[in-house]
Amino acid sequence: MEFRETFVSALRTLGSHKMRSALTMLGIIIGAGSLVAVMSLIAGLNQSVTTQFQSVGTDIISVSKFPWVQMGSSEDYRGRKDITMHDSDAIESLPSIGLVAPNIHTRRGMSYGRESMRRVRVSGTTPEYETIDNYAVESGRFLTQFDVERRRQVVVIASEVSEKLFGLRDPIGKDMQIGGKKFVVIGILEEKGDIFGETLDEHVLIPITTFRKAFGSRRSVVVDCQPADGVSMERAMDDIRALLRVRRQVPRDKPDDFAVNTQEDLTASYKQLTGVLYFAMTGIVALALLVGGIGVMNVMLVSVAERTREIGVRKAIGARRRDVTSQFLIESVILTALGGALGIGGGAGIGVLVRVATPLPAATTPAAVGLAVGFSLITGIVFGVYPALRAGRLNPIQALSYE
Amino acid sequence: MLIQLEGVTKVYEVGTEKVNALGGVSLSIEKNEYLAIMGPSGSGKSTLMNVIGCLDTPTSGSYRLKGQEVGDLDDDELAEIRSAEIGFVFQTFNLLPRMTAFQNVELPLIYSKAHRRTRAERVWGVMDAVGLRDRAMHRPSELSGGQRQRVAIARALINNPSIILADEPTGNLDSGTGEEIMQVFEGLHRAGNTIILVTHEEYIAEHANRIIRLHDGLISSDERGVRGSSLGGPVGSAERV
């Protein structure tokens, strides 16, 4: 029997049981739909995270007391010694290290005239911070070595601070209060955007020396640095690790009691997260398709039973086993393919909605569509084979006398 | 010789019991015979029809159709023989309800892999032969019983089979319509077709030129030239044996 006839005949049969066909397809629709939707979201997440990671800088090594991504219990991190300015100087003297920018952080209230802001991030650092941590000055200037040496009361403010405290006025040269101390605004930073939903633009930078004098020196220092020219990240990190283990007297058999972070760590933990997401999604999709597939099999078995007589007639007038089998198999595949197509449409629709309604740039990838199509067809075949074979094997005499 | 059965037996196993549906039937049928198989229910006439129609194979003995031994063919080979050599007409018509008359008649051509372009022409040919050209695009539910049986006959004819096998073809029709259907068979016989009727109605069997009676799975009589003309219809002398 030609494929075209089989196909048309299958469509006719499914069309005559619209409700049943639709309900049968539901499981497949949900399976394929959630597959496409979740993959679209992950694609969007990937895109936005990649953009955000780029704002961190790819060749930055950040040495700190605690890692960016903490694994295990907080017990493991208790009692760690602070990282000091001396440690920072020691790192700077390593031949494998290029630029170094020690930085320390706190949150303080700040004001200008009647305008004020609470708990804004205040960082004390050095001029190298601009290059290493990808800051760009929009107007005015960044911190200089002179500012640091003289412990000048100067501040570089991020865009939101400028907007909220100064509005339309030019902040450069104005005096503002930070934590009750007077600072002169010397520069405004370009907008940096968000990372993981938190704005990077509520932030001020002051000289690290001024910071220690004004807000206290008993704070652990974060040392941001870059490898020297021609030195690999791995080599630079190894040197830092070796240096700090000696300086901090870490016994040979104990792990590091400090953290050497890179953007890789973020990427790795992000990948781990999406890995879990993929895993969970695969489970959901497999489950939905399994349930859908069982539905398909059930309906196909009912259909075979209902049409026993028809099968007998077809066989009497010359249908071979494979004619009957392929007819039923094509019916089940059409069911799941149609369900898959509807699911893909729905999933892609959810993707579009998310892109329009949220900042997440969700995108339906060809891979997601391909996967959904593949899964749908395979479900149709796997769960359609048994009923179809059963139909093909029916004895024509018994089938003809079936009431 | 078109059909040759020699010592055909058919044993069914029902549970642990064995039922001898056919106990050794030997029978020859020539091309263009018009034959009726009669017998009470349980006499084995349905089994004999199934064997002749290649829906079933004998337990023992030999069945040759056009010289070919059918007994050792598998399911698909039997299907191909049915497709090429046998046209079935059933008591309950057995048309597929979701298809039009045209599509029902076309179906055997699809299974025999006839080319799409020649199919329509052939379907219209047989629809004309049974006088249903103007009802071709209707579904079975929109046709009368007699019309349905004509569609079924057209379907049986479509592949130019060697044998038309009709199982109680008038059983679900009133006597007037039944008579019309018998006239159709009459015409087919005159046109050179071989027809085998399975019936338990004496007056239907009388349309044939040969009547075989079965009893307990054996042929109890085989009468030729018994054709009665009591029910009328144009009868040429050439058809009398």
Side-chain angles (χ1 to χ4, degrees):
Chain A
M1 191 164 174
E2 286 172 41
F3 179 77
R4 202 183 93 106
E5 270 71 26
T6 317
F7 189 79
V8 170
S9 154
L11 276 184
R12 191 159 41 218
T13 310
L14 296 174
S16 64
H17 294 287
K18 287 190 185 66
M19 187 65 179
R20 184 161 88 184
S21 304
L23 287 174
T24 310
M25 280 189 290
L26 205 57
I28 309 295
I29 294 174
I30 292 169
S34 52
L35 179 81
V36 170
V38 174
M39 281 189 80
S40 300
L41 296 190
I42 290 179
L45 208 59
N46 280 339
Q47 164 119 54
S48 97
V49 164
T50 308
T51 322
Q52 290 179 12
F53 282 173
Q54 274 159 7
S55 72
V56 173
T58 47
D59 57 351
I60 179 176
I61 301 169
S62 183
V63 183
S64 57
K65 192 168 156 186
F66 300 115
W68 283 350
V69 184
Q70 297 199 3
M71 305 283 185
S73 74
S74 55
E75 292 280 318
D76 303 342
Y77 303 110
R78 194 177 284 173
R80 286 189 167 189
K81 281 188 283 186
D82 286 348
I83 291 173
T84 65
M85 283 306 289
H86 297 298
D87 292 327
S88 176
D89 294 340
I91 290 170
E92 191 165 9
S93 65
L94 283 170
S96 57
I97 299 300
L99 292 177
V100 174
N103 50 92
I104 42 183
H105 310 271
T106 186
R107 284 182 184 276
R108 286 288 188 272
M110 49 193 64
S111 62
Y112 174 74
R114 292 164 165 237
E115 306 300 327
S116 68
M117 291 172 82
R118 299 179 59 185
R119 292 187 50 74
V120 177
R121 186 172 159 86
V122 179
S123 300
T125 186
T126 62
E128 291 77 12
Y129 199 60
E130 182 180 13
T131 314
I132 297 173
D133 284 72
N134 269 341
Y135 282 92
V137 173
E138 195 176 81
S139 69
R141 63 172 176 84
F142 200 76
L143 304 171
T144 61
Q145 197 54 44
F146 189 70
D147 295 330
V148 175
E149 279 166 14
R150 303 297 293 271
R151 283 192 230 163
R152 294 183 62 189
Q153 298 281 116
V154 292
V155 63
V156 178
I157 61 176
S159 56
E160 294 225 357
V161 176
S162 166
E163 261 169 53
K164 283 187 182 157
L165 293 188
F166 296 93
L168 293 171
R169 282 166 292 204
D170 181 8
I172 305 288
K174 302 267 180 357
D175 290 345
M176 65 178 283
Q177 299 286 322
I178 299 173
K181 308 233 160 39
K182 198 172 82 176
F183 284 81
V184 181
V185 179
I186 55 168
I188 302 164
L189 296 172
E190 270 179 16
E191 197 175 316
K192 267 208 149 184
D194 298 350
I195 187 159
F196 305 125
E198 201 181 341
T199 177
L200 293 172
D201 298 314
E202 281 195 11
H203 190 192
V204 301
L205 302 171
I206 60 177
I208 191 165
T209 46
T210 318
F211 185 105
R212 283 160 67 86
K213 190 179 120 200
F215 305 123
S217 56
R218 298 186 57 191
R219 253 172 239 279
S220 188
V221 175
V222 177
V223 187
D224 288 355
C225 54
Q226 284 176 341
D229 279 349
V231 176
S232 70
M233 291 283 280
E234 287 72 27
R235 170 74 202 292
M237 286 165 73
D238 285 347
D239 286 357
I240 293 170
R241 204 168 273 136
L243 174 78
L244 288 184
R245 284 182 73 93
V246 171
R247 285 182 63 85
R248 294 162 70 90
Q249 293 166 326
V250 180
R252 202 176 273 280
D253 56 336
K254 288 272 162 41
D256 295 348
D257 65 349
F258 54 89
V260 182
N261 304 290
T262 63
Q263 193 204 11
E264 294 256 305
D265 296 328
L266 282 186
T267 316
S269 61
Y270 170 73
K271 276 188 180 147
Q272 206 170 18
L273 177 79
T274 48
V276 171
L277 224 63
Y278 266 114
F279 192 73
M281 179 196 61
T282 312
I284 292 169
V285 169
L287 213 65
L289 289 178
L290 182 74
V291 171
I294 291 168
V296 169
M297 179 136 89
N298 183 35
V299 163
M300 290 315 293
L301 284 172
V302 169
S303 177
V304 170
E306 271 181 0
R307 287 149 71 195
T308 300
R309 212 182 161 87
E310 173 191 326
I311 293 165
V313 174
R314 285 178 183 269
K315 287 202 148 185
I317 64 175
R320 289 157 304 174
R321 277 185 178 197
R322 67 174 103 81
D323 294 322
V324 175
T325 300
S326 64
Q327 181 192 341
F328 280 89
L329 197 56
I330 285 174
E331 274 178 35
S332 70
V333 171
I334 288 178
L335 264 180
T336 59
L338 217 61
L342 290 173
I344 289 167
I350 291 173
V352 170
L353 262 177
V354 167
R355 187 168 54 211
V356 172
T358 75
L360 201 65
T364 303
T365 58
V369 173
L371 218 61
V373 169
F375 272 135
S376 309
L377 294 181
I378 287 169
T379 309
I381 293 168
V382 167
F383 291 93
V385 156
Y386 173 69
L389 284 176
R390 220 160 104 150
R393 286 202 198 106
L394 279 177
N395 175 311
I397 299 167
Q398 285 164 11
L400 275 170
S401 57
Y402 182 87
E403 293 301 326
Chain B
M1 195 65 64
L2 181 62
I3 289 173
Q4 190 138 34
L5 286 83
E6 272 167 51
V8 166
T9 68
K10 185 71 198 179
V11 181
Y12 290 113
E13 286 186 36
V14 182
T16 51
E17 238 168 285
K18 288 188 174 177
V19 178
N20 286 294
L22 292 177
V25 171
S26 297
L27 173 65
S28 298
I29 301 170
E30 306 266 6
K31 194 171 181 321
N32 198 23
E33 273 199 75
Y34 190 175
L35 174 116
I37 298 173
M38 294 199 70
S41 61
S43 62
K45 62 180 192 301
S46 293
T47 306
L48 182 58
M49 188 201 77
N50 289 339
V51 169
I52 292 173
C54 296
L55 286 166
D56 209 347
T57 51
T59 307
S60 71
S62 148
Y63 168 28
R64 286 173 198 277
L65 176 59
K66 288 170 107 177
Q68 185 181 9
E69 181 59 50
V70 170
D72 41 352
L73 298 181
D74 68 21
D75 270 13
D76 282 352
E77 289 167 324
L78 287 174
E80 271 158 34
I81 291 202
R82 289 196 295 272
S83 172
E85 310 291 351
I86 318 278
F88 285 97
V89 177
F90 303 94
Q91 177 176 359
T92 52
F93 323 134
N94 280 335
L95 300 175
L96 301 188
R98 285 185 293 273
M99 295 185 177
T100 63
F102 185 98
Q103 287 164 335
N104 266 287
V105 174
E106 189 186 25
L107 197 54
L109 287 176
I110 292 169
Y111 287 130
S112 67
K113 301 192 172 73
H115 199 280
R116 196 195 318 269
R117 261 171 280 167
T118 66
R119 288 201 308 243
E121 194 184 324
R122 287 170 66 181
V123 174
W124 286 120
V126 291
M127 290 307 258
D128 279 340
V130 297
L132 276 180
R133 175 175 269 268
D134 54 333
R135 306 294 285 167
M137 292 308 162
H138 291 265
R139 293 192 177 197
S141 57
E142 299 158 343
L143 300 175
S144 71
Q147 286 171 333
R148 287 183 209 183
Q149 196 59 300
R150 283 166 193 264
V151 173
I153 292 169
R155 180 178 67 185
L157 287 172
I158 192 78
N159 269 327
N160 281 322
S162 307
I163 312 160
I164 294 166
L165 207 50
D167 184 11
E168 305 276 9
T170 60
N172 275 24
L173 301 172
D174 61 64
S175 60
T177 315
E179 187 52 34
E180 281 173 27
I181 292 299
M182 293 319 291
Q183 295 302 330
V184 175
F185 282 117
E186 201 96 17
L188 294 176
H189 178 233
R190 264 202 307 279
N193 288 291
T194 310
I195 296 169
I196 300 174
L197 272 179
V198 177
T199 183
H200 62 272
E201 301 278 12
E202 205 68 45
Y203 72 94
I204 295 295
E206 279 170 2
H207 286 79
N209 338 85
R210 180 181 172 193
I211 297 179
I212 288 177
R213 289 174 204 275
L214 284 178
H215 194 75
D216 286 345
L218 290 168
I219 293 177
S220 59
S221 76
D222 181 350
E223 310 156 46
R224 287 170 189 271
V226 293
R227 181 176 176 99
S229 51
S230 58
L231 288 163
V235 179
S237 59
E239 288 168 56
R240 296 187 181 264
V241 178

